[in-house]
Amino acid sequence: MHASSPFAAARNAVRTTAPPPAAPQPPGRRTTGRRRGLSAALTLVAAATVLGSVAGPAAAAAPVPAASPVPAAAGAAGDLATAVLPAPTGPFPVGTSSLRLADPGRPDPWHPERTRELMISLWYPAAGTPGPRAPQMTPSAAAHFGTPRGAGSFNYGLPPGRTDWSATRTHARQDAPALRAGGPRPVLLYSAGLGDPRTWNTGLVEDLASRGYVVVTVDHTYEASEVEFPGGRLAESVFPDLAGLQDPAAIDAVLRKAVRSRVDDVRLVLDRLTALRAQDGQVQVQGEIRGGDGGRSAAADGGVLPAGLAGVLDLGRVGMVGHSAGGFTAAQAIHDDPRIKAGVNLDGTMEFPLPDSTGSTFGSAARDGLDAPFLLMGTDNPDSGGHQQQPSWEAFWQHTRGWHADVTLAGSRHGSYTDAESLLPQLARQDAAPAATVTDDIGTVRPERAVAATRAYVASFFDRWLRGRDDHLLDGPSARFPEMRWVP
C-alpha cells in the first residue's frame, strides 16, 4: 500500500502512460518514495506496484499466493527480531478491550453473501488495577501480518519470517476497569490506511488514551491485512488478490467502494457505541454487538464492557483521526455524519482515479469542504507535502469553512505517522529490515522526534476542539517542533 499511496498510485497509473520497465534492483530494494492513499496493490502493473517493486514484474501481474491461516515462523522464535512500542506520555494508565460488531441488515461489500461484521478495540484511561499487558496483535493476526500477504511485507516491504510480531506488547492492561474519576471523556475514532490493521498505530492510540481520551480503533474487514474474530477465525484482505487489476474503471470502482464501506463502518461504530452507552455497556446477545479478542475479554465472557467504560463515553464530543485512506475516511465521515465534531488526516489523499458524475475526481468532502475543524498533516513524500502541492487537499482547503491548519513533517515518508516510525528502525538494527526499505517507509526524520511531534500535534488539536484546552501549538510555527513545517 505505502510504496506511495494507493489512491495516488492508482490515480497516476490510470492517468499516465507507463514508463519503460525499470532496471532490476537488488533484493530488498524498491523505488523510493511510497505513494499515499489506498492500496498500491491496485496500481496498474505497468506503473510498478508495490508487488512489482518488491518481487518483480511477475509478482505484480498475478495475485499473491494464499497464506495458511496460522503460518509457521521461519526459524526458532529466539532467532526472530522483536520491537518495543514507545511508552505513552499522558498521566493515566491505559486499558483496552475488543468487541465484535455486526450489521445484520448490511451485506459485506467485499463478500455480499455475508453480513458485514467488524472488530473494534477500545483504549481508555484505566483504574490502577494490575493485570497482563495486552499484545499489539493477537497470535493469529501477528503470524499473518508477517507473511507475504500481510501488511508487514505487502505494504511495508519487510522480509517475511524475520520478525516475531506476536512479541510486541502494548502498555495497556487487558479489560482493566475504566477510570471513572473525571467524568465522561471525549471519544476518538481511528481508521488505518488500506491494508493496515487497526493495531498499526497503537503507539499514537495508547498515547491519546493516556491523555484522557477513549479511542476506538476500527478494522475495516477484508480491507485490513487481517482481522481476527472470536474463536480465532481470521478474515484476510481481498487486496492482494487484486494486484493485477488493470481496468481503470474497475480500479476506480474498487477505491470508491472502499471509502463508502469505511464511512458506513464508522457510522455503525457510532450507532453501537450509542447503544452501549444507553445500555450501560450491556451487549446484545442476539446479534449485533458481541465481545471479541478471541473470546478472552470480559466483554466476550460476561457480555459487558469492562467496568465503568460505557459510563465514561461522551458521544457529544467525538473526533476522528486516520492515516492514509483512513485520513480520507475521517474527512468523508465528518462530511456525512454530523456526530463527528473534528478530524485529523495523516497523509491521505482525497482523490479518486477517475471523475464521477459531477466531473470531479475529488471526494465530496474535498469538493464541499467541512464546517468542522480539521487538521491536515502531510509528509515529505514526493506526492505529498502541503495543500498547495496536492489538488485534493487544495480543494478541501479552499472549501472548508471550519477552522483548518496544515503541517508537514520534514524528512518523513508515508509510514512516518504509523507504528512503522518507531518499530522499523529497531528491526533494522537486528537485520530484519533492509535499511533502504526503512528509509522508503519512514524517511530520514529522527524516529523519536517524529513520534513526539505526531503525538503532540494530534493531541493539541483534539484538546483544543473537544476539551477547550488550547496549548497554542497550532497557532503557527513552533520552536518546540522544528520538524513540523507550518503550511499557510
Side-chain angles (χ1 to χ4, degrees), residues 235-453:
E236 297 185 23
S237 174
V238 301
F239 285 99
D241 293 327
L242 299 177
L245 193 63
Q246 298 190 52
D247 176 47
I251 295 172
D252 184 79
V254 166
L255 299 184
R256 290 181 184 276
K257 179 164 70 171
V259 173
R260 285 195 305 271
S261 172
R262 284 166 161 260
V263 172
D264 288 343
D265 290 346
V266 169
R267 303 184 80 165
L268 172 66
V269 171
L270 288 173
D271 290 345
R272 297 304 189 258
L273 292 178
T274 301
L276 283 170
R277 179 69 177 87
Q279 298 160 15
D280 196 21
Q282 294 296 323
V283 176
Q284 296 183 22
V285 177
Q286 287 300 319
E288 299 181 2
I289 310 173
R290 295 177 184 266
D293 196 30
R296 293 181 294 276
S297 73
D301 295 336
V304 296
L305 287 174
L309 181 51
V312 300
L313 298 174
D314 186 348
L315 296 173
R317 292 186 292 167
V318 177
M320 185 167 179
V321 55
H323 172 250
S324 192
F328 189 170
T329 302
Q332 195 62 49
I334 294 172
H335 177 275
D336 295 351
D337 195 320
R339 290 177 291 182
I340 310 174
K341 307 301 184 185
V344 178
N345 180 343
L346 302 173
D347 207 37
T349 186
M350 294 184 275
E351 185 174 7
F352 295 103
L354 298 177
D356 61 10
S357 59
T358 70
S360 173
T361 59
F362 302 148
S364 57
R367 291 199 309 265
D368 301 338
L370 302 177
D371 293 316
F374 203 87
L375 177 62
L376 298 169
M377 297 180 66
T379 67
D380 267 348
N381 232 68
D383 57 351
S384 182
H387 61 90
Q388 303 100 327
Q389 299 167 257
Q390 304 184 56
S392 66
W393 280 26
E394 179 64 18
F396 179 85
W397 187 267
Q398 296 299 330
H399 293 112
T400 289
R401 298 158 297 283
W403 181 97
H404 50 286
D406 184 358
V407 295
T408 299
L409 180 60
S412 64
R413 286 295 183 266
H414 189 58
S416 293
Y417 291 130
T418 73
D419 286 335
E421 185 64 52
S422 60
L423 299 184
L424 266 56
Q426 299 177 57
L427 301 182
R429 290 193 291 271
Q430 301 168 69
D431 296 323
T437 297
V438 174
T439 301
D440 283 353
D441 286 334
I442 63 173
T444 57
V445 62
R446 287 169 51 197
E448 68 276 12
R449 293 298 301 170
V451 169

Side-chain angles (χ1 to χ4, degrees), residues 1-14 33-44 47 49-50 154-156 192-196 223 239 251-252 254-255 258-259 262 323-326 328 346-353 381 383 414:
M1 159 175 127
H2 302 303
S4 242
S5 87
F7 269 142
R11 178 194 66 213
N12 294 339
V14 168
R34 295 178 173 276
R35 287 179 293 254
R36 312 155 29 256
L38 292 183
S39 179
L42 300 182
T43 310
L44 293 180
T49 64
V50 177
F154 190 69
N155 282 358
Y156 292 87
L194 190 68
D196 286 353
E223 298 179 32
F239 285 99
I251 295 172
D252 184 79
V254 166
L255 299 184
V259 173
R262 284 166 161 260
H323 172 250
S324 192
F328 189 170
L346 302 173
D347 207 37
T349 186
M350 294 184 275
E351 185 174 7
F352 295 103
N381 232 68
D383 57 351
H414 189 58

